[in-house]
Amino acid sequence: MTTDYTEAAVCHIDDLHDGQLKEVRVGDTDVLLARVDGQYYALYPKCSHYGAPLAKGVLHGHRLVCPWHNACFDATTGHRLEAPALNGLPMHEVRIEGDQVLVRLTTDAQSRTNPLAAPQAHSTETYVIVGAGGAGAFAAEALREGGFTGRIVMLTQSPNQPYDRPNCSKDYLQGKAPAEWMPLREPDFYKQYGIEIRTETPVKRLDAATKEIELQSGETIRYDKALICTGGAPNHLPVPGAGLRHVFTLRSLTDSSQLRLLGQQGKRVVIVGSSFIGLEAAMSLRKLGAEVAVVGREAVPFAKVLGEKIGRLVQGWHEKAGIRFHLGREVRQFDGTGEVSAVVLDNGESLPADVVLLGLGVKPRTDFLENVPRADDGGVLTDEYLQLADGLYAAGDIAHFPTPDGPVRIEHWKVAGQQGHVAGLNMARPDAPEPYRMAPFFWTNQQGKRINYVGHAEQFDQIIYDGDPETDDSFLAFYGVDGIVKAAASLGRDTDIAIIRELLQSGQLPDPQTIQAGVDWPALLAKVTPQA
């Protein structure tokens, strides 16, 4: 008798406890084994986002968290629960024979979508998504995941369908990621699920009172529900010479492509702004062979977010790579005839420049909204379900969402994607809305070293270190405000920082005194009731 499947005994029934993970081998295939509530589950072992080894992640109840970028999956179904992963994980069959756990391979696919509803031509409802970034991409799929079968229209002024924007300052800018890697989905995917993406279609106004959207072309679209996720417009520098050619911002795939073309071997590039994006771009352009200088107002990069000790550490990484810093300085003007040739600082120093990149942050892109109150910074205020008016929702960089500390607006890819996912589900399922309560997370790649950050602390009065950033290859840093830990950062402590986010999200993060005394993070997580 022959079989058309591969099956193997992978462990003893008592080898794993609830919350444990183990990578095993079935034939020539690696499989992730997980134990949840006394049951074994077998899954594809790599994250569907960037291929991180999930065995090094965290299993908390049914929540399987990626160690690199904190994507989250349901270990019992394989479904994707949180951005930045779009796809879920394939499952394999598991059975118990005697005291052995056996796994039978059932698929060789690397990823799969969550179940999505098919569009129905007879539906008369139209849901519009304004913006095609991470929030818009996740929202469109969440509408179908939530069971919406009507018309979905995505409007974007970009020439591109949704793509992997964080890569624009990293591997793509370095020339290591080809253009075909950048789209989040193939065009056929959007056609299959009836998601109509209209590129190069700027919106002139959206009237929340009449539920009408007027395009720059003059066309008007009436919506039943809409999501605003237009992101941010890069800040410019109002100094003489700002309009010269080759003065760039980095917000889009087009921007990254232009910089990659111009910032080649021997070119002189000046980065204005020591932001995360600015220094990621400095790293990438230096890897292309450009001579790179960074101008920043701060005395130490990232001091306001990560503290001076970590900021100096990161600065040192870049300096070892040959990047020069001019800190505590401002730009007085750009010199050049037609094209930029120099950046003049407030101390009179002139930096030669073939290319200038402005990394000065963004402001919410909301000037087209009518009958929608705006916050002082131009963002919009949502409720806990990310709704801001009847039938109107917001997600991503423009959204101030409620937290116990008051409304907060966060400009991070994972946050935007997960907000889009929650908003899309709530639009599709108004009778069973889901509040947005995810602990914020972002990552940054600085000279090949990934720093992960969870939580949110606009200011802090205490930093607690587990490990010394000045001497150790890995560490944790906790940021306290009035005796409460609000955020944490890590280098080389991926599993611990994923656990910390689970604890923060559950409201179970220890106080500063407990953290200072030392914490066994896996043991602490095992005592915390998982989220439903």
Side-chain angles (χ1 to χ4, degrees):
M1 178 178 178
T2 60
T3 60
D4 57 358
Y5 60 83
T6 301
E7 184 178 72
V10 294
C11 72
H12 187 276
I13 194 172
D14 294 326
D15 281 353
L16 298 186
H17 301 292
D18 284 350
Q20 286 190 308
L21 299 165
K22 182 180 181 181
E23 190 167 302
V24 298
R25 192 82 168 168
V26 179
D28 295 328
T29 301
D30 292 326
V31 173
L32 180 69
L33 204 61
R35 179 164 167 162
V36 180
D37 294 333
Q39 299 291 318
Y40 279 91
Y41 298 89
L43 307 95
Y44 185 74
K46 295 182 179 181
C47 180
S48 60
H49 178 229
Y50 276 2
L54 293 173
K56 295 182 179 180
V58 170
L59 180 61
H60 187 211
H62 67 111
R63 290 170 55 83
L64 173 59
V65 183
C66 167
W68 289 358
H69 308 114
N70 281 207
C72 184
F73 307 89
D74 189 326
T76 67
T77 64
H79 291 173
R80 184 261 300 144
L81 299 177
E82 291 184 11
L86 275 166
N87 289 332
L89 303 171
M91 304 286 292
H92 303 291
E93 292 182 11
V94 177
R95 66 184 181 90
I96 307 298
E97 187 175 290
D99 60 0
Q100 296 295 305
V101 178
L102 289 86
V103 173
R104 177 181 296 182
L105 301 183
T106 55
T107 177
D108 60 358
Q110 293 191 9
S111 59
R112 66 179 185 186
T113 60
N114 287 3
L116 303 179
Q120 296 181 0
H122 60 77
S123 176
T124 59
E125 288 188 292
T126 297
Y127 288 5
V128 178
I129 299 170
V130 184
F138 278 88
E141 296 190 30
L143 289 174
R144 295 295 186 223
E145 185 177 340
F148 178 65
T149 58
R151 184 187 180 200
I152 299 174
V153 181
M154 183 182 291
L155 305 173
T156 175
Q157 63 183 19
S158 168
N160 305 108
Q161 294 191 348
Y163 58 87
D164 185 9
R165 179 171 286 155
N167 219 341
C168 288
S169 59
K170 304 179 184 73
D171 284 356
Y172 181 79
L173 182 53
Q174 295 170 27
K176 294 181 180 179
E180 55 266 26
W181 286 11
M182 297 298 283
L184 296 181
R185 297 289 195 192
E186 294 297 326
D188 287 346
F189 174 89
Y190 295 113
K191 291 180 182 178
Q192 178 182 354
Y193 290 105
I195 300 168
E196 179 187 344
I197 302 178
R198 298 178 62 175
T199 57
E200 298 181 294
T201 306
V203 171
K204 182 177 181 179
R205 67 178 184 91
L206 182 150
D207 191 332
T210 62
K211 295 187 175 180
E212 287 184 341
I213 298 172
E214 181 183 354
L215 307 181
Q216 290 286 3
S217 65
E219 178 186 353
T220 298
I221 300 174
R222 180 168 177 80
Y223 65 84
D224 294 284
K225 294 182 182 179
L227 172 68
I228 310 303
C229 49
T230 40
N235 291 322
H236 292 268
L237 200 60
V239 299
L244 291 169
R245 291 195 302 275
H246 297 168
V247 176
F248 292 96
T249 56
L250 177 52
R251 186 64 181 172
S252 69
L253 186 60
T254 299
D255 295 336
S256 186
S257 297
Q258 290 177 320
L259 284 167
R260 186 167 71 172
L261 181 64
L262 292 172
Q264 296 293 324
Q265 183 74 37
K267 292 292 185 179
R268 300 165 300 178
V269 179
V270 176
I271 312 284
V272 180
S274 53
S275 62
F276 288 106
I277 295 297
L279 289 193
E280 286 183 352
M283 166 190 71
S284 297
L285 291 166
R286 181 66 183 140
K287 289 180 182 295
L288 286 177
E291 298 297 323
V292 180
V294 175
V295 178
R297 290 181 176 179
E298 302 84 358
V300 178
F302 312 147
K304 290 183 179 180
V305 179
L306 300 176
E308 290 190 4
K309 186 177 286 191
I310 297 176
R312 285 193 295 268
L313 173 69
V314 176
Q315 181 180 341
W317 295 341
H318 288 288
E319 288 175 334
K320 288 180 181 178
I323 294 171
R324 305 183 308 278
F325 284 82
H326 303 264
L327 298 174
R329 300 262 65 92
E330 294 188 5
V331 173
R332 179 184 297 170
Q333 68 184 53
F334 299 121
D335 284 346
T337 303
E339 296 179 357
V340 68
S341 62
V343 178
V344 181
L345 306 184
D346 54 357
N347 63 355
E349 185 177 3
S350 180
L351 306 179
D354 301 301
V355 177
V356 170
L357 172 60
L358 304 179
L360 303 172
V362 301
K363 57 185 177 183
R365 196 189 299 269
T366 59
D367 56 351
F368 63 95
L369 296 178
E370 295 183 1
N371 293 309
V372 176
R374 285 192 282 271
D376 291 342
D377 65 357
V380 295
L381 293 165
T382 76
D383 63 15
E384 64 178 334
Y385 305 109
L386 301 174
Q387 188 168 10
L388 54 91
D390 178 44
L392 188 62
Y393 295 74
D397 293 0
I398 70 169
H400 289 262
F401 59 94
T403 75
D405 296 324
V408 171
R409 185 176 67 84
I410 296 178
E411 300 168 357
H412 301 316
W413 182 255
K414 177 178 170 68
V415 171
Q418 193 61 16
Q419 285 184 351
H421 176 69
V422 171
L425 289 178
N426 291 342
M427 292 167 70
R429 301 171 179 171
D431 296 333
E434 172 186 333
Y436 175 77
R437 292 176 182 160
M438 186 190 80
F441 172 92
F442 79 87
W443 76 93
T444 182
N445 186 330
Q446 302 289 332
Q447 292 299 338
K449 298 177 177 64
R450 177 169 35 81
I451 295 176
N452 286 355
Y453 181 99
V454 300
H456 181 70
E458 292 188 3
Q459 57 185 5
F460 47 85
D461 54 35
Q462 181 182 22
I463 305 178
I464 305 164
Y465 294 102
D466 179 353
D468 188 344
E470 294 178 340
T471 60
D472 297 341
D473 293 332
S474 65
F475 59 80
L476 295 169
F478 298 86
Y479 303 91
V481 182
D482 296 330
I484 300 173
V485 175
K486 295 292 187 179
S490 74
L491 175 70
R493 298 282 292 273
D494 293 345
T495 301
D496 286 343
I497 201 72
I499 291 173
I500 289 164
R501 193 177 78 90
E502 289 294 294
L503 294 170
L504 187 63
Q505 197 152 292
S506 302
Q508 300 292 321
L509 195 63
D511 58 35
Q513 293 76 21
T514 301
I515 292 173
Q516 283 179 320
V519 177
D520 183 333
W521 295 107
L524 178 58
L525 184 67
K527 299 176 182 178
V528 174
T529 302
Q531 301 173 49

